[in-house]
Amino acid sequence: MLENFFKLKEHGTDIKTEVIAGFSTFLTMAYIIAVNPGILSAAGMDFGAVFVATCIAAAFGTAVMGLLANYPVALAPGMGLNAFFTFGVVLGMGQTWEVALGAVFWSGIIFVLLSMFKIREWIINAIPSSLKTGISVGIGLFLAIIGLQSAGVVVDNPATLVGMGDVTSLPVILFFLGFVLITALYYRCVTGSVVIGIITTTAIGAVFGLVEYNGIMSMPPSIAPTFMKIDIMGALNVGMLAVIFAFLFVDLFDTSGTLIAVAQKGKLLDEKGRLPRLGRALMADSTASVFGSVLGTSTTTSYIESGAGIAAGGRTGLTAVTVAVLFLVALFFSPLALSIPAYASASALVFVAVLMVSTIANIDWSDLTESAPVVVTAVMMPLSYSIAEGISAGFVTYAAIKLLSGKKDEISISVYVIAALGLARYMFLI
């Protein structure tokens, strides 16, 4: 049955290989089980409920990806998007987390429509690659400052806005240890490097009494505090339109980039370099975001960590289904997730930031009309504490510089539209 459904022989794989690949992918992204509830709980959401929502949303999206699109790609609430949800929308803009969930819901609905009518391809192809890179780098820097702040490395300073914390404190030292360990293990291609780093740092912290032990296993917490608490209509006010767009925009490009990168690594592209069943894969991603918002978590998206499963031989949706089952099993380990301290999860945040910022190497620095908007986009996100602000500033800057440099032919209609919306937002909505 599995052979016929997933076409294992056709893809040069077998059940054992696919299951092992699924375990490899799960281990590399399991950190989200603890990190996502930690970030969203700062917005006032119940940790236990978000923990359950994270596991179920990840299991649902990953299972749909495997069963519908037959790809070895796993999904979970996205890093960066969860930070924007908490620190940008709720704490930064003063919106309730229920309204923020509503924005996630509408961004998912729009993504579904874009996937159904194949508008996504037009948008992706029309946006300059430099701005795509700028967004990725900006989110990375945004994650970095959140992680450093959470660990106590960076603190507020009335004279300079930010300053160094007590770098001799044990939590900061453990954060640094965790970051170095994760990076070194990842470089050595050790499967589950992020999870190993978090667990090791937590264990050392426990020895020094810096961890509140809550146990290892229990029945899953109640999801009631977040389930169906979404404010759909509240997210439709004018001030939230930019937020909905930001969720949609980041998820759209993050998903596309992840799918293409994973497909290239697994040699899943067709002879024309295109991704077969792309529409199905996008539908799995977009419906997972809608479903996740109803459960009570931020945008669910495809994970680049799926490449670990590809490296282990995963080639079909059976790998994804294996990951989905493991996320359901993880539901019974909520006490362990609750025990992970902020400095341990912060090390994972900063490590993910490093991976995202590394894409800046793709920028053509000899062309200032391309590189300057990238810097504006990337810098504005952490300094304004908002992904949406970075995107708006980047597009407005890109269009303005190209026009004044005599390169108006390099500006697509979609860039004009997005830049105009960003400019209008600054002029009339602030």
Side-chain angles (χ1 to χ4, degrees), residues 261-402:
V262 170
Q264 286 177 332
K265 189 171 184 179
K267 299 180 179 179
L268 301 175
L269 299 176
D270 61 20
E271 61 279 1
K272 295 182 179 180
R274 296 177 302 189
L275 196 65
R277 305 180 303 282
L278 176 60
R280 296 184 182 184
L282 292 172
M283 190 61 68
D285 197 294
S286 54
T287 54
S289 288
V290 175
F291 185 67
S293 68
V294 174
L295 294 174
T297 185
S298 53
T299 306
T300 302
T301 187
S302 300
Y303 261 56
I304 194 63
E305 283 85 351
S306 301
I310 293 286
R315 294 294 181 271
T316 74
L318 182 55
T319 293
V321 171
T322 301
V323 176
V325 171
L326 291 172
F327 268 114
L328 293 179
V329 173
L331 282 168
F332 299 93
F333 290 87
S334 61
L336 191 60
L338 280 165
S339 301
I340 295 176
Y343 56 81
S345 57
S347 61
L349 282 177
V350 178
F351 172 73
V352 174
V354 171
L355 298 182
M356 299 187 75
V357 172
S358 65
T359 59
I360 201 169
N362 301 326
I363 297 300
D364 180 9
W365 294 101
S366 64
D367 186 351
L368 284 175
T369 65
E370 295 288 335
S371 58
V374 169
V375 175
V376 170
T377 304
V379 171
M380 280 296 292
M381 287 188 190
L383 295 185
S384 67
Y385 234 66
S386 171
I387 293 176
E389 296 292 353
I391 292 174
S392 295
F395 274 93
V396 171
T397 304
Y398 185 90
I401 291 178
K402 287 290 185 180

Side-chain angles (χ1 to χ4, degrees), residues 17-18 20-31 62 65 71-75 186 189-193 254-255 257-268 301-316 319-320 323 355:
T17 301
E18 294 291 300
I20 292 175
F23 271 90
S24 298
T25 294
F26 177 77
L27 286 174
T28 60
M29 62 184 292
Y31 64 88
T62 305
M65 179 67 78
Y71 280 126
V73 176
L75 290 80
Y186 186 87
C189 300
V190 176
T191 299
S193 55
D254 188 50
T255 298
T258 297
L259 289 173
I260 292 173
V262 170
Q264 286 177 332
K265 189 171 184 179
K267 299 180 179 179
L268 301 175
T301 187
S302 300
Y303 261 56
I304 194 63
E305 283 85 351
S306 301
I310 293 286
R315 294 294 181 271
T316 74
T319 293
V323 176
L355 298 182

